[in-house]
Amino acid sequence: MVRVVVSGASGRMGREVVRAVTREKDLELVGAVDVSHIGEDCGVLAGLEPNGVLVADDLSALLEEFKPDVMVDFTAPTAVAKNVICALEAGVRPVIGTTGMPAADLERIMRLAEERRIGGLVAPNFAIGAVLMMRFAAMAAKFFPTVEIIELHHDQKIDAPSGTAVQTAEMIAAVREDFRANTGREELKLAGARGAEYRGGLRIHSVRLPGLVAHQEVLFGGQGQTLTIRHDSITRESFMPGVILAIRRVMGLDRIVYGLDKLIFE
Ligand code: NAP
């Protein structure tokens, strides 16, 4: 049995993770943490039968008491690094879905995990379709000179651009030297109208609308042709097979890896 704690258990993704972990016979939900709904049964919050796992507010006390194998974190950009450091210090493997973590925090937790030889995963997107979309975009970027990314999310999303858009841009820049340089071009009349420039003219546009979940288009322009690669997460269930796979796979890692693609393709 892999013992799992969910951090952010009262949130949209956290409740989905509670449901998903509960369905798996080889996973045991031993704890739930959040800053909201403290003391409530996380099964009931997730729309299930009561499971006796009450939402706690003290992550380190919970990790100390229940000694889980894995902590899944879907909280907020300002909360995630502290939670992960707490997990690593307790010897617990983090599976991190929270996006928008500052680069310095990401580097810090990766270094700490390596020093302590603890496995983990940071995945900006757990949906297999999104992982494929990023991979296909990196393939197509070798053949089309111009690329723009449009990411569309629900209006409660805190960070912009999305972690998926950033990872897509990183994967494209890894195969295209011209997207690794800063152009410093200032061509805007109305600031922001052309989206944000990741680097080298690679642009990201962020749309926020109620009713959306998580969507992205990668648009390529070439001579007399365009190519559009699009992925849509229609419900948050789309992320759950990836989260479950990650919980199982981090048990065999000795460092934190970035991107679900590393677990699927490598
Ligand atoms: P949400 O509904 O706001 O849930 C976040 C939960 O975490 C809320 O209950 C929040 O409480 C709680 N929280 C805030 N600070 C906390 C802390 N220090 N300790 C414990 N809990 C804390 O957000 P969501 O839609 O579930 O998204 C959560 C994160 O996952 C976001 O960063 C989002 O971008 C990311 N996400 C990733 C994927 C992926 O595939 N990787 C997919 C979807 C979403 P309050 O509401 O009281 O602040």
Side-chain angles (χ1 to χ4, degrees):
M1 277 298 224
V2 178
R3 293 162 60 78
V4 181
V5 158
V6 179
S7 166
S10 309
R12 287 172 289 250
M13 287 297 289
R15 292 178 199 218
E16 200 68 57
V17 175
V18 166
R19 285 194 283 276
V21 168
T22 303
R23 280 195 296 269
E24 300 301 317
K25 294 210 166 34
D26 61 330
L27 307 183
E28 186 186 2
L29 183 73
V30 296
V33 186
D34 207 290
V35 292
S36 302
H37 298 277
I38 313 297
E40 293 183 37
D41 185 294
C42 75
V44 174
L45 276 175
L48 305 171
E49 292 294 312
N51 60 15
V53 178
L54 307 184
V55 178
D57 60 353
D58 186 339
L59 177 62
S60 38
L62 188 92
L63 298 179
E64 176 65 29
E65 186 180 352
F66 292 100
K67 307 211 176 330
D69 299 298
V70 174
M71 177 194 76
V72 180
D73 189 286
F74 283 97
T75 56
T78 47
V80 55
K82 191 162 167 262
N83 293 344
V84 174
I85 289 166
C86 191
L88 291 172
E89 283 175 347
V92 177
R93 300 157 189 86
V95 168
I96 306 158
T98 308
T99 55
M101 187 180 350
D105 285 349
L106 182 60
E107 272 170 36
R108 188 168 160 218
I109 63 159
M110 289 183 105
R111 219 176 314 118
L112 184 60
E114 206 166 333
E115 281 163 20
R116 299 192 173 217
R117 302 186 63 76
I118 298 173
L121 174 74
V122 179
N125 201 314
F126 280 99
I128 179 70
V131 172
L132 289 170
M133 174 258 299
M134 290 188 259
R135 187 52 64 129
F136 296 154
M139 285 168 69
K142 291 181 189 159
F143 302 98
F144 285 83
T146 308
V147 190
E148 303 225 357
I149 298 169
I150 305 176
E151 57 95 346
L152 309 92
H153 280 81
H154 60 89
D155 61 341
Q156 301 302 305
K157 185 169 177 59
I158 298 171
D159 54 318
S162 70
T164 307
V166 173
Q167 195 188 350
T168 308
E170 287 168 354
M171 288 172 72
I172 290 172
V175 295
R176 280 277 297 273
E177 203 175 329
D178 51 327
F179 287 141
R180 294 202 283 276
N182 283 316
T183 58
R185 244 184 337 221
E186 192 40 87
E187 62 196 25
L188 306 178
K189 292 267 188 320
L190 180 61
R194 289 282 294 117
E197 184 171 351
Y198 170 72
R199 268 182 306 212
L202 172 50
R203 294 190 175 277
I204 303 177
H205 309 259
S206 297
V207 177
R208 297 290 176 265
L209 290 173
L212 295 175
V213 177
H215 316 258
Q216 182 168 291
E217 284 186 5
V218 189
L219 296 94
F220 295 89
Q223 262 183 339
Q225 59 183 323
T226 63
L227 170 68
T228 302
I229 301 172
R230 181 175 171 116
H231 175 259
D232 294 276
S233 272
I234 295 153
T235 69
R236 290 180 176 82
E237 274 180 79
S238 62
F239 304 113
M240 292 306 117
V243 171
I244 298 298
L245 176 130
I247 292 172
R248 293 184 179 127
R249 291 287 302 278
V250 294
M251 296 298 292
L253 298 177
D254 62 359
R255 67 194 166 91
I256 290 181
V257 296
Y258 174 76
L260 189 67
D261 52 311
K262 305 291 184 311
L263 300 190
I264 293 178
F265 301 120
E266 287 164 22

